Amino acid sequence: MSVRYLSAKIAQQVDEELMSAAGAFSLDQLMELAGLACAQTLATVYDRERYPRVLVCCGPGNQGGDGLVAARHLGMFGYKPTIWMPKPGSKDIYKNLHKQCTNMHIPTLGTSGDALSDALPSHDVILDAIFGFSFKPPVRAPFDAALPLLSQSKLPIVSVDIPSGWDVERGNAEGVGLEPDVLVSLTAPKEGSRAFQGLHFLGGRFIPKTLEEKYELNLPPYPGFAQIVELPSNAEQKL
Amino acid sequence: MSVRYLSAKIAQQVDEELMSAAGAFSLDQLMELAGLACAQTLATVYDRERYPRVLVCCGPGNQGGDGLVAARHLGMFGYKPTIWMPKPGSKDIYKNLHKQCTNMHIPTLGTSGDALSDALPSHDVILDAIFGFSFKPPVRAPFDAALPLLSQSKLPIVSVDIPSGWDVERGNAEGVGLEPDVLVSLTAPKEGSRAFQGLHFLGGRFIPKTLEEKYELNLPPYPGFAQIVELPSNAEQKL
């Protein structure tokens, strides 16, 4: 049995159940493990000698929080991350996660229109933590202008959960989304990523077996004590 | 320059600074990373085929919280952990961390005097998360009876931060402490562990460089994106 690809609704339900009174997880905990998995995925594919300068692009929601956690871990791993977060979420958790990054001297780009385009040439790889599974089109400013800039940069892109601009269920049907080289799905892949042809990793090793069974997730076994596992590529699955 | 061994006071200061408004970390975050490091250390030394049954012994404080996080991760790694936590802390975080374990069907021993001695023969390795760097002698009930039981079991022991019963600065001078095979120090080793002769790991890869420099911690480089690093043994250092 292969891994289940989740609809936006089911992904939302799994998330809510984890953080319900019954699931007992805090957002801090889950975001820490998710962000760590994102950083480890990037570090697995793009080594810090050749790709030290990571542009971490963060959206306004929990996805952006994952990005901030990943930026901090990338800093700990010896990368030189820079944060682009033009619409920071107002929740305290985002402020704290951002403070943790500034305490590590991880710079954050300004919010002017040119800040992103100016920064791209001096980076080696992009971590796309802009939109997650609760994204609904259309892409709004300033991200509508940013997605083409990121694509045109020709830098390698690692996307978190679902490539930004993709519909969570229908993928990049509209053609406005990023085309990342690497995708790290969190807890379970989303339906929209079925057509993704690049390197596909799974992170978020915190789903209790009972929840996995309830939602028939059929998660693949993670190796040893790793926090990420590579999924078979869709190209391979079709053979 | 070798790594700094911390006094109880400095360890406390580092911890407080991390969780201050300036440090911006939440206890949930730090405990998640600390507990993950403990679980990964145990999994590095004791593989799950030969040592599947881990008895996770938790004290009433934050050390016990690290133990609960480690128990959950060990469950995710395919071990069969059992929790012994005779004096559970009253803070919500401990209740939530424990709930996360029961959701994974990780059993918890009863609090009767015989529960621990009855359980020991059916376990392969002990994770000692009883006392941490805020421990002050004497060892109080029920732990005063438990430490000799754990020692007499002859099971391998992995201790968190400082072996239980050791003075944080003077080590096992009183001779009432455990003699673990493996120690995982968190953030930086404690003075009391200078004389420790077993396998010594460091976890807690979340200290910003500025804090490391302020306290002259001289932390060793962690490999790649690992969350733990082995410290040179004291026997080696003396050569």
Side-chain angles (χ1 to χ4, degrees):
Chain A
M1 275 192 301
S2 54
V3 65
R4 178 173 181 186
Y5 285 72
L6 306 188
S7 66
K9 189 179 157 195
I10 298 290
Q12 182 69 27
Q13 280 180 19
V14 171
D15 228 40
E16 282 171 7
E17 200 153 329
L18 283 167
M19 288 189 279
S20 68
F25 276 100
S26 72
L27 181 59
D28 294 46
Q29 285 183 283
L30 299 184
M31 211 169 256
E32 194 60 38
L33 295 175
L36 178 61
C38 296
Q40 292 189 333
T41 297
L42 187 142
T44 297
V45 183
Y46 300 103
D47 76 85
R48 71 178 182 197
E49 302 303 327
R50 286 190 58 201
Y51 301 88
R53 300 168 303 175
V54 186
L55 188 59
V56 182
C57 297
C58 298
N62 284 347
Q63 181 91 346
D66 295 341
L68 291 173
V69 173
R72 169 165 45 83
H73 283 292
L74 286 168
M76 298 299 313
F77 302 165
Y79 289 81
K80 303 280 178 210
T82 300
I83 295 165
W84 181 68
M85 194 177 199
K87 295 274 179 194
S90 60
K91 280 197 254 173
D92 275 349
I93 188 170
Y94 304 129
K95 289 178 191 160
N96 288 332
L97 292 174
H98 191 243
K99 184 90 172 68
Q100 292 158 25
C101 289
T102 54
N103 284 349
M104 287 183 61
H105 303 306
I106 296 172
T108 300
L109 298 179
T111 54
S112 78
D114 293 338
L116 182 63
S117 52
D118 289 352
L120 281 165
S122 57
H123 284 85
D124 305 302
V125 53
I126 292 164
L127 183 65
D128 157 34
I130 298 177
F131 298 127
F133 66 73
S134 49
F135 168 73
K136 290 200 175 42
V139 178
R140 290 191 173 76
F143 302 106
D144 55 347
L147 296 189
L149 284 175
L150 298 178
S151 295
Q152 288 153 21
S153 74
K154 304 291 179 199
L155 292 174
I157 298 176
V158 179
S159 284
V160 177
D161 218 26
I162 188 84
S164 289
W166 290 31
D167 183 277
V168 182
E169 293 173 4
R170 289 174 296 118
N172 199 16
E174 311 281 333
V176 299
L178 300 179
E179 289 291 353
D181 304 86
V182 180
L183 178 64
V184 50
S185 292
L186 296 172
T187 68
K190 310 305 169 294
E191 275 186 8
S193 69
R194 273 188 197 278
F196 178 69
Q197 296 282 334
L199 288 173
H200 195 168
F201 289 80
L202 184 66
R205 191 177 184 179
F206 46 64
I207 303 284
K209 202 77 191 165
T210 42
L211 204 60
E212 184 186 341
E213 285 167 359
K214 175 176 172 182
Y215 288 102
E216 298 175 326
L217 301 181
N218 302 323
L219 298 177
Y222 284 72
F225 55 72
Q227 295 300 294
I228 54 174
V229 57
E230 191 174 347
L231 295 175
S233 85
N234 285 308
E236 283 172 35
Q237 283 180 329
K238 281 171 195 155
L239 291 179
Chain B
M1 275 194 301
S2 54
V3 66
R4 178 172 180 187
Y5 285 72
L6 306 187
S7 66
K9 189 181 158 194
I10 298 291
Q12 181 70 28
Q13 279 179 19
V14 171
D15 228 42
E16 282 172 7
E17 200 152 329
L18 284 167
M19 288 189 279
S20 68
F25 277 100
S26 72
L27 180 60
D28 294 46
Q29 286 182 282
L30 298 184
M31 212 169 254
E32 194 61 37
L33 295 175
L36 178 61
C38 296
Q40 291 188 334
T41 297
L42 188 143
T44 297
V45 183
Y46 300 103
D47 75 84
R48 72 179 182 198
E49 302 303 326
R50 285 190 56 201
Y51 300 90
R53 301 168 302 175
V54 186
L55 187 60
V56 181
C57 298
C58 297
N62 284 346
Q63 181 93 343
D66 296 340
L68 292 173
V69 173
R72 168 166 44 84
H73 284 291
L74 287 167
M76 297 299 313
F77 302 165
Y79 289 80
K80 303 279 176 213
T82 300
I83 294 164
W84 181 69
M85 194 176 198
K87 296 274 180 192
S90 60
K91 281 196 253 176
D92 276 349
I93 188 170
Y94 303 130
K95 289 177 192 160
N96 288 332
L97 292 174
H98 191 242
K99 183 89 172 67
Q100 292 160 24
C101 289
T102 53
N103 284 348
M104 288 184 61
H105 304 305
I106 296 172
T108 299
L109 298 179
T111 54
S112 79
D114 292 338
L116 183 63
S117 52
D118 289 352
L120 281 165
S122 56
H123 284 85
D124 305 302
V125 55
I126 293 164
L127 182 65
D128 157 33
I130 298 177
F131 298 128
F133 66 74
S134 49
F135 168 74
K136 289 197 176 45
V139 179
R140 291 191 171 76
F143 301 106
D144 56 345
L147 296 189
L149 284 175
L150 297 178
S151 295
Q152 288 154 20
S153 75
K154 304 291 179 201
L155 291 174
I157 298 177
V158 179
S159 284
V160 178
D161 218 26
I162 188 82
S164 290
W166 290 32
D167 183 278
V168 181
E169 294 173 6
R170 288 175 295 118
N172 199 16
E174 311 281 333
V176 298
L178 299 179
E179 289 290 354
D181 304 86
V182 181
L183 177 64
V184 50
S185 292
L186 296 172
T187 70
K190 309 306 169 295
E191 275 187 8
S193 69
R194 274 188 196 277
F196 178 69
Q197 296 282 333
L199 288 173
H200 196 169
F201 289 80
L202 183 66
R205 192 179 184 178
F206 45 65
I207 303 284
K209 202 76 190 167
T210 43
L211 205 61
E212 184 186 342
E213 285 166 1
K214 175 176 173 182
Y215 289 101
E216 299 174 325
L217 301 181
N218 302 322
L219 298 176
Y222 286 72
F225 56 72
Q227 294 302 294
I228 54 174
V229 56
E230 190 174 347
L231 295 175
S233 85
N234 284 308
E236 282 171 36
Q237 283 179 325
K238 281 169 196 156
L239 290 180

